[in-house]
Amino acid sequence: DQIEFYEDKLRYETDPADLKAALNQGENIVVIDARSNASFNEEHIPGAINIPHRTMDASTTVGLDRSALFVTYCDGIGCNASTRGALNMTKLGFNVKELMGGLVWWKQDGYETETA
C-alpha cells in the first residue's frame, strides 16, 4: 500500500525543480496558472497560460494540445486553485499534474517569474 501511495503521488504531483528541468529539456508541458486573471497579471511562471479554475470547461480549453502534460499551479500552500484546476482538467480528459508548493515554492527555489 505504501509503495502504491508514493507512486501515485509522483504520478499526480511534481515539484518546481522537476518542472523546471522538464521545461529546460523541451518536454511537451503546458503550465497552467489556475488563479484569477489579476493574480496571473501580477506575477506568474514564465510561459504559463492563465485559465482560472472557475472558468475551465470545454470552451476555455479548446485547442489545447491533448498530447501534452498539463501542470497546474496557484499561490501555494493555503490555495487550492491548482487542485481544483487539476481536477477540472482531468475531468476534461487532459493528462495533469499539480505543482507542489505553487508559485511560492517556485520562487523559493530561485526560479524567475514574470508579469503580464
Side-chain angles (χ1 to χ4, degrees):
D1 288 341
Q2 196 170 9
I3 291 171
E4 185 177 320
F5 169 80
Y6 289 116
E7 287 174 343
D8 282 345
K9 190 172 174 113
L10 291 173
R11 188 172 19 254
Y12 302 124
E13 297 177 335
T14 190
D15 69 4
D18 287 343
L19 176 58
K20 181 67 171 168
L23 292 171
N24 286 345
Q25 294 170 7
E27 292 184 25
N28 189 13
I29 295 175
V30 177
V31 180
I32 295 181
D33 187 319
R35 303 173 302 154
S36 69
N37 292 324
S39 294
F40 176 81
N41 289 338
E42 186 176 311
E43 182 178 37
H44 58 268
I45 293 174
I49 61 173
N50 181 223
I51 308 175
H53 71 88
R54 288 182 176 90
T55 68
M56 287 177 180
D57 60 26
S59 67
T60 60
T61 59
V62 69
L64 294 178
D65 178 4
R66 290 190 171 269
S67 69
L69 169 63
F70 290 81
V71 176
T72 61
Y73 76 92
C74 60
D75 290 324
I77 295 174
C79 174
N80 69 2
S82 61
T83 304
R84 290 177 181 274
L87 176 60
N88 291 342
M89 294 295 288
T90 301
K91 286 180 176 178
L92 290 165
F94 293 93
N95 181 23
V96 183
K97 286 189 176 188
E98 184 177 6
L99 180 61
M100 297 167 58
L103 194 59
V104 170
W105 286 10
W106 178 266
K107 294 188 309 184
Q108 182 177 305
D109 282 358
Y111 303 126
E112 294 180 3
T113 61
E114 62 184 14
T115 60

